[in-house]
Amino acid sequence: AQKITQTQPGMFVQEKEAVTLDCTYDTSDPSYGLFWYKQPSSGEMIFLIYQGSYDQQNATEGRYSLNFQKARKSANLVISASQLGDSAMYFCATKGTDQAGTALIFGKGTTLSVSS
Amino acid sequence: EAGVAQSPRYKIIEKRQSVAFWCNPISGHATLYWYQQILGQGPKLLIQFQNNGVVDDSQLPKDRFSAERLKGVDSTLKIQPAKLEDSAVYLCASSFWDSEGTQYFGPGTRLLVL
């Protein structure tokens, strides 16, 4: 079984500051992926970043980086230089990658509010 | 490249009525997913298709929900009859049929059942 835990219901940060959103996971899959999605108030889920369980380096995509600590089963999202447009709900998710086409298991999300 | 399209964006119905949602995935994506997202929670899978076949519908309430993807491209999700607890956002996603399978989501349909 797979489970994602996001313990921060809400986070507040000022513009240009960095912020870390926490995610811990539990999975029985030997090979798995970790994903972060952003959901603005409009409702669409926007893919941000992916980390494979066998990737040696932490994933980065522009201002987003994933702090992957396999032994601690954590996959925290770091957003550098926050912008007002980063205000949204953020979801961590996982899926097995041993076979094609498995569905995502999501956490409950963290609401990020960026102020000027 | 066009993203995942969904319609309608919003729907308000009364309980016991029926409703249908439509999804057109990204061109070339063999896998299509329908998720239900209740307010304050993360999305949960309802049904997954690979081409026009069902891969996983174990969490679909089959007494009232149905879905089809007849030609392996666009898909329809139906609820009949709707209950108050079906009020949620219905998200469609698609991905390549591969092990990494990053899923790309549509804008969702917000359903309110009164």
Side-chain angles (χ1 to χ4, degrees), chain B residues 13-74:
Chain B
I13 61 173
E14 295 191 347
K15 60 183 179 184
R16 291 188 290 272
Q17 286 187 324
S18 62
V19 65
F21 313 129
W22 174 83
C23 171
N24 194 35
I26 293 173
S27 177
H29 282 191
T31 314
L32 186 148
Y33 310 80
W34 284 101
Y35 289 86
Q36 180 192 58
Q37 185 179 19
I38 293 172
L39 188 64
Q41 299 181 17
K44 292 184 179 178
L45 180 73
L46 288 174
I47 188 167
Q48 176 187 338
F49 293 93
Q50 195 244 339
N51 295 315
N52 60 351
V54 175
V55 175
D56 183 356
D57 63 355
S58 58
Q59 299 186 76
L60 186 73
K62 298 181 185 64
D63 57 334
R64 297 183 301 105
F65 286 66
S66 64
E68 59 185 14
R69 192 184 184 199
L70 293 175
K71 296 181 179 178
V73 180
D74 57 346

Side-chain angles (χ1 to χ4, degrees), chain A residues 41-97:
Chain A
S41 56
S42 59
E44 184 172 359
M45 297 284 282
I46 301 168
F47 167 69
L48 294 178
I49 195 167
Y50 166 82
Q51 177 86 42
S53 59
Y54 289 109
D55 293 342
Q56 295 296 319
Q57 290 191 321
N58 287 342
T60 59
E61 288 286 349
R63 295 186 299 112
Y64 304 108
S65 60
L66 201 153
N67 185 1
F68 180 48
Q69 297 187 47
K70 197 170 183 178
R72 298 180 62 185
K73 293 190 175 182
S74 73
N76 298 339
L77 177 70
V78 180
I79 305 174
S80 63
S82 297
Q83 301 172 355
L84 294 177
D86 294 335
S87 294
M89 192 80 162
Y90 288 79
F91 289 95
C92 180
T94 188
K95 66 187 286 291
T97 53

